[in-house]
Amino acid sequence: AKSKTRWSVGLPMLPCSRRATMTKEDGQRSQAAVPIILSLDELRVDLAPDIRRHLASQYESLVSRSPFSSAVSEGDDDDSVRESSSRPSSSAAERHLDRILDAMKRPPSATCCRVNIINSSVEEVRVRLDDALGPWRERRNAARRLRLLRAAAADDDSDGGRKRRRPEGSAGDEHDAEKEGEGRTGDEGEADDDVDDMIARPSGALPDVLLVGRSGARASTAGALRGPPPIASPNSSSGESSSPRAVFPNWEKRSERGWPSTHRALIVDRLCGEAVLRGSDVFVRGVLAADAGIAEGEDLAVYAHLDGGGEDEGDGGGGKKSAGSAKAFPRGLLLERYGGRCVFLGTGAARCGRADMFRLPRGLAVDMSSSSSAGAAAAVGPDLPPLNGVLESEMMLQNLPSAMVAHVLGPRSGEAILDMCSAPGGKACHVASLMRNEGLVVACDRSRGKVVLAREKFKTVGATCVVPLALNSTRCVVRDGSPWRSPKEIIESASATKKDGLLDVKAFHPESFDRILLDPPCSALGLRPKLRVDIKTLRDLSKHAEYQRRFASEAVALLKPGGTMTWSTCTIDASENEEMVGHVLREFPSMELAPIPFDLGRAGLPERGLSDAERCMVRRFDPCDDGDTMGFFVAKFVKKARS
């Protein structure tokens, strides 16, 4: 009974039957699995060999052309390329793919905020956003000053008391702490860590987009760390510092397993980890495993689970897989029993105790902007504030290439516009914003649940011209010969379902819409940050392009002659981008490409189904490009008017 009690402590989410049968031997077997702990720099986003060959081959013609090939050669001096060139791959195309994958695991250096001009002007949002950043700046700078104070105190004690110390918290002490930080860089100090220059500024490329980030931001040096750096602890009797100050001073196996002895730690799921890299805090639903004894207010080391399991690589008795996890383990697992692969994200301050992290249905678990540990890495990603939920009715977080799509579509007041794969609804909101709610925007998605959530977003931003519909966009054209009716007539005559109040509309008549925004389901091989790729085979990857063709044929049928259609994806895969554009041009002679009037991205890849003139009319974004964006693709079609 004693051994069972020992191993069940701190596992509030495990089923009672599982806890009751857990023995000391079970725990010892689980402890035998040693976790693999990586720094972000060490993490490699792996691809299946056939997928890797497929993606590398699409860049062969690109890297062989001047001046891009010389740019790749010059890039060989970068650490990321030196690392990739030491791998088995040797061709320039494969090295370029490695650069993309290395950039993919890191977020862009700024957060893109698209202004909802239905409710506010860009300048009004810029001012309010700067005001909203004020408390974050204060917390961030206060934590920085405290870290410097503690580091200075440790330095004083390591000198055997030779420095005269003021009482902690005095103005002079704070001044000395600032002086201690001067001249330090990277992990030694934080001379460049002040965030007073964290501002919202116009993007310069799109008129309704603001970028939030530090001016002249540079990459975090914490990307090389597998955990918080050691914190010196003063030894007043000897005048020397003992290293490190330990929360777990006598737990040798902890350091052998790679966990920090200076901090308690927790592990979040992969999707939560990717959000943290973009500036988010940790919320309770994202926490998977944690040390025992975590108390509110203490600094924690935070890691993201990548793959591998905890207990027996199974479902942990809970029968459910964890979000962002290839293999499941029980949520609520003690850290000492974790045996998966994870990556270090930084440190933050606990905002609740361990029990509440696994008991509460929602709430903040870790504030990533408030770490005060001397020498600790506050963030592995760029120093960005959490903006989710900030000014919700006035702006929306949206990646820069994605925010370009509605501008490329060019909606006009009074038009009927179809967003064929709308969820979660960001682009439909943008179209409504550009139209100033004057017209009709039909926002479709196959998932009723996603459409219901999108409907709430439309209400929040005041997009009253948007009509959300749950329908299958691969079969949404009326072909039964019934009398033609406009989208407005179909919607006005439709009845709401009792289940969720969505209108019961399943199809529209041919040539009904002035403009169509088509952003079909894709392989998402362009999202940043992306810590792991889940697509296992080339066959799985190719299914995306096959599925997308079904959306394209319906879109062409629904578009009016003279109308405009955009095609966009968040992937670098040419079979879903340039080759799909070529497919539309070949299969539907009524469709032709139109130039995109924005100086963003670059031309499409050569020798992927488009002529040089055609590929110059599409826009491709690769994660390693100078624009520092996600991977994305946009094309603009116009349907020829009848002669």
Side-chain angles (χ1 to χ4, degrees), residues 510-514 516 553-565 588-594 636-642:
E511 300 183 349
S512 294
F513 291 93
D514 299 288
I516 295 178
S553 61
E554 298 293 279
V556 172
L558 289 171
L559 187 63
K560 291 180 180 180
T564 299
M565 182 183 89
F588 306 101
S590 62
M591 302 296 286
E592 58 185 3
L593 280 174
K636 178 180 179 180
F637 295 93
V638 173
K639 193 172 187 179
K640 298 175 185 177
R642 294 193 185 95

Side-chain angles (χ1 to χ4, degrees), residues 55 79 85-86 146 149 155 191 238 246 261 304 324 371 401 522 538 601 605:
L55 293 177
D79 291 340
S85 62
S86 66
L146 185 53
L149 283 170
D155 287 346
S238 65
S261 60
S371 174
C522 71
L538 183 58
L605 295 176

Side-chain angles (χ1 to χ4, degrees), residues 37 226-233 242-265 291 298-299 301 303 335 373:
I37 303 172
R226 295 179 183 173
I231 304 171
S233 177
S242 59
S243 178
R245 175 185 66 79
V247 175
F248 307 99
N250 301 315
W251 195 347
E252 294 181 2
K253 288 187 177 180
R254 181 178 178 86
S255 58
E256 290 174 1
R257 292 168 65 82
W259 302 119
S261 60
T262 55
H263 292 69
R264 288 183 175 85
D291 267 316
E298 73 172 295
D299 284 350
Y303 300 80
L335 189 75
S373 299

Side-chain angles (χ1 to χ4, degrees), residues 143-165:
R144 170 183 177 267
R145 287 191 291 269
L146 185 53
R147 287 197 295 271
L148 290 173
L149 283 170
R150 291 179 175 177
D155 287 346
D156 284 347
D157 285 339
S158 68
D159 287 341
R162 287 191 295 270
K163 294 183 180 179
R164 181 178 181 84
R165 296 177 58 197

Side-chain angles (χ1 to χ4, degrees), residues 16-90:
C16 293
S17 59
R18 180 63 179 168
R19 291 204 306 270
T21 59
M22 192 176 294
T23 65
K24 184 174 181 178
E25 288 71 28
D26 290 331
Q28 289 173 337
R29 282 197 300 270
S30 182
Q31 280 193 341
V34 177
I36 299 174
I37 303 172
L38 303 172
S39 69
L40 189 63
D41 289 352
E42 291 173 322
L43 174 64
R44 179 179 177 182
V45 180
D46 288 320
L47 299 171
D50 54 351
I51 295 177
R52 181 179 176 84
R53 287 191 296 270
H54 166 77
L55 293 177
S57 67
Q58 69 185 22
Y59 291 106
E60 289 177 355
S61 297
L62 179 67
V63 299
S64 65
R65 298 190 178 200
S66 180
F68 188 83
S69 57
S70 61
V72 172
S73 299
E74 292 170 3
D76 288 350
D77 292 334
D78 296 339
D79 291 340
S80 61
V81 180
R82 281 201 301 270
E83 178 187 353
S84 65
S85 62
S86 66
R87 298 171 186 162
S89 62
S90 58

Side-chain angles (χ1 to χ4, degrees), residues 10 72 115 144 198 426 441 454 521 556 586:
V72 172
V115 175
R144 170 183 177 267
M198 179 68 68
V441 179
V556 172
R586 289 191 306 272

